């Protein structure tokens, strides 16, 4: 993450977390540095330094921890009038370039807003979402919703098993809006938060007033992101209230994004009214990531960690954790911690030792891919390997070549050698299938089934 952005977010969160009387000391703080979890800031006010140190040190460290995700965060505040002045000049320059003042204010408000309701994770941006065959559609539609809210897919309903990136994609809409369209107000809420807020309306104080506050909080916005809606099932009153929130926002032309671990039709205790509403926009599924995506995800992590590693080790991890990205990341972190503590390179031997996974089958061979594809299309494997021309055989051959490239990461040259064909012929076949896949349902199905038969997924 860009350092200045990080600092802006820390500042915004401090403003929302600390009492009003501390704000005058927060605003003039200038970023001086950030190293190994320690955030250093400079102020031209000696009193500001003393009061923040004395009264709010712990809270400030907590905020830095939350935003950076680094448990060893610390905070140093230095009093230096000249340094504060020159740093201010610099940061003013940066800010002028970035956005107009009004927009910035709204961005800050949005940030505080999102954070107050959630553990907003700075990692959950579009830029950090690895895209590949299995999640491209979900990524594209979500991005298009961020770019043009309430114009295309409303509501956008993202569903899929746990740990596949639903929260990540959803929060990416929030981050995108904050940084690119900051005039809009965006709110992220877990269903749980919504539920608790709703329950507490009747708990204390004036219920009518509380209700109006509640409505304002959830409908006076441009984009609402509701995470894990499945927890609403069976809660009759909350469901009715959600219907009201939904209709209010929808009728005002506001964007609604929802995630769930299931489709509405698989939630028997959801009211029919809500079910219909959730289904009336676009529903998109996140499926387990293919090998290439898994590999890229941990490669990015390894690079961000400034870690010495071998691709072989990463491939081993990616191969053994295929169902859930959260578990994949967990496995990587475990190995990574071990490598750091023992001051060793993350290589295959270390990964195996730490994870102790059951050996799954060896790398799938080109031959096996050709065999399974031939069987799927009910053609002779010799025809796939040869030059026979019929439509069925050609498709089978092209697909087999395509899968060889996708599954094994072998080079075009070595695939060409295996098929005894020209390099360009292989590339052509690969490209052809790649283009046709999104258009031809039967091809897509064939890819899925053959991969399954190869136990690749
Ligand atoms: P869900 O909400 O579906 O349970 P999350 O969005 O919490 O899943 O994702 C779990 C973890 O996996 C997060 O750390 C997230 O950043 C990561 N993740 C999931 N998919 C991807 C992806 N395509 N690229 C990068 N990280 C991903
Ligand atoms: Mg989630």
């Amino acid at each position: 993450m860009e350092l200045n952005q990080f600092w802006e977010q820390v500042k915004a969160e401090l403003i929302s977390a600390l009492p009003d009387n501390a704000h005058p000391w927060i605003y003039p703080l200038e970023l001086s540095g950030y190293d190994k979890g320690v955030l250093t800031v400079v102020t031209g006010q000696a009193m500001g330094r003393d009061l923040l140190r004395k009264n709010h040190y712990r809270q400030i460290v907590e905020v830095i921890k939350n935003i950076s995700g680094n448990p060893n965060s610390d905070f140093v505040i230095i009093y230096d009038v000249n340094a504060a002045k020159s740093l201010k000049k610099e940061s003013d320059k940066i800010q002028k370039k970035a956005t107009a003042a009004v927009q910035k204010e709204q961005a800050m408000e949005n940030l505080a807003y999102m954070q107050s309701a959630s553990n907003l994770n700075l990692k959950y941006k579009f830029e950090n979402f690895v895209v590949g065959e299995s999640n491209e559609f979900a990524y594209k539609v979500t991005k298009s919703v961020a770019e043009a809210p309430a114009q295309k897919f409303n509501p956008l309903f993202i569903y899929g098993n746990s740990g596949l990136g639903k929260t990540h994609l959803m929060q990416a809409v929030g981050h995108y809006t904050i940084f690119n369209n900051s005039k809009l107000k965006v709110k992220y809420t877990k269903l749980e938060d919504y539920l608790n807020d709703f329950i507490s309306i009747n708990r204390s104080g004036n219920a009518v007033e509380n209700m109006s506050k509640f409505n304002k909080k959830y409908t006076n916005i441009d984009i609402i992101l509701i995470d894990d809606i499945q927890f609403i099932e069976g809660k009759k009153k909350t469901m009715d209230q959600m219907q009201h929130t939904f209709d209010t926002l929808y009728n005002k032309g506001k964007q609604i994004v929802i995630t769930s671990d299931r489709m509405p039709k698989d939630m028997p205790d959801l009211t029919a009214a809500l079910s219909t509403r959730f289904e009336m926009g676009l529903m998109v599924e996140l499926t387990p990531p293919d090998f290439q995506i898994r590999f890229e995800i941990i490669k990015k992590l390894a690079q961000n960690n400034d870690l010495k590693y071998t691709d072989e080790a990463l491939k081993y991890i990616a191969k053994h954790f295929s169902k859930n990205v959260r578990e994949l990341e967990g496995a990587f972190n475990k190995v990574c911690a071990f490598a750091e503590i023992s001051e060793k390179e993350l290589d295959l031997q270390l990964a195996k030792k730490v994870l102790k996974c059951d050996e799954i089958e060896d790398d799938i061979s080109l031959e096996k891919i050709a065999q399974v594809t031939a069987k799927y299309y009910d053609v002779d494997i010799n025809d796939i390997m040869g030059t026979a021309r019929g439509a069925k055989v050609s498709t089978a051959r092209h697909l087999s070549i395509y899968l060889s490239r996708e599954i094994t990461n072998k080079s075009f040259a070595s695939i060409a050698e295996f098929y005894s064909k020209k390099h360009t012929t292989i590339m052509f076949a690969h490209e052809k299938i790649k283009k046709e896949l999104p258009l031809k349902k039967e091809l897509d199905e064939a890819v899925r089934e053959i991969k399954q038969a190869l136990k690749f997924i």
Side-chain angles (χ1 to χ4, degrees), residues 119-351:
N119 341 326
L120 175 78
N121 192 328
L122 281 177
K123 195 187 128 210
Y124 294 172
K125 294 183 179 173
F126 285 119
E127 296 90 306
N128 298 327
F129 194 81
V130 176
V131 186
E133 204 183 302
S134 61
N135 60 17
E136 192 174 9
F137 182 63
Y139 171 85
K140 280 192 173 154
V141 292
T142 311
K143 185 100 191 277
S144 78
V145 161
E147 286 162 354
Q151 287 176 34
K152 282 185 183 154
F153 312 113
N154 203 14
L156 174 65
F157 191 94
I158 307 170
Y159 67 98
N161 285 342
S162 173
L164 296 181
K166 299 186 296 295
T167 299
H168 187 140
L169 264 189
M170 164 178 265
Q171 289 201 0
V173 175
H175 287 299
Y176 184 94
T177 309
I178 287 168
F179 289 107
N180 297 288
N181 205 354
S182 55
K183 287 192 294 297
L184 298 183
K185 222 170 183 175
V186 56
K187 178 164 183 61
Y188 168 88
T189 178
K190 293 186 196 129
L191 193 271
E192 211 186 322
D193 300 331
Y194 181 90
L195 185 70
N196 288 337
D197 277 351
F198 182 59
I199 291 171
S200 58
I201 287 176
N202 289 313
R203 216 170 258 160
S204 67
N206 180 333
V208 176
E209 219 170 77
N210 290 347
M211 186 71 208
S212 120
K213 260 194 213 155
F214 175 91
N215 276 333
K216 198 167 164 219
K217 181 168 174 185
Y218 288 100
T219 56
N220 193 11
I221 36 193
D222 298 297
I223 302 175
I224 192 163
L225 313 168
I226 308 170
D227 206 0
D228 287 324
I229 194 88
Q230 72 270 9
F231 294 125
I232 204 170
E233 227 190 331
K235 304 189 173 67
K236 182 76 178 72
K237 283 188 182 157
T238 314
M239 286 194 283
D240 290 343
Q241 184 57 38
M242 180 59 81
Q243 186 182 332
H244 179 71
T245 302
F246 186 104
D247 289 350
T248 309
L249 286 167
Y250 191 86
N251 292 333
K252 284 201 287 187
K254 306 300 184 187
Q255 176 71 48
I256 301 161
V257 183
I258 301 169
T259 71
S260 170
D261 68 354
R262 272 161 288 157
M263 288 169 97
K265 75 172 174 52
D266 295 326
M267 296 194 246
D269 289 329
L270 195 66
T271 56
L274 273 187
S275 194
T276 318
R277 282 166 176 75
F278 294 167
E279 285 171 1
M280 83 196 178
L282 181 75
M283 291 199 285
V284 56
E285 183 178 12
L286 272 177
T287 52
D290 53 51
F291 176 80
Q292 198 58 38
I293 298 181
R294 303 199 302 271
F295 177 65
E296 297 273 327
I297 288 176
I298 50 176
K299 189 157 187 164
K300 265 197 173 179
L301 288 180
Q303 286 164 349
N304 289 344
N305 269 309
D306 235 352
L307 188 77
K308 265 193 154 175
Y309 63 89
T310 67
D311 275 2
E312 229 185 350
L314 301 191
K315 279 183 184 164
Y316 176 84
I317 305 171
K319 195 164 128 189
H320 286 83
F321 293 83
S322 58
K323 299 273 183 303
N324 181 321
V325 183
R326 197 173 292 125
E327 285 171 16
L328 174 72
E329 290 185 339
F332 171 81
N333 288 335
K334 197 167 155 190
V335 177
C336 181
F338 201 90
E340 265 172 24
I341 289 167
S342 55
E343 295 184 15
K344 283 188 181 145
E345 184 188 39
L346 200 186
D347 61 9
L348 183 59
Q349 201 190 354
L350 185 109

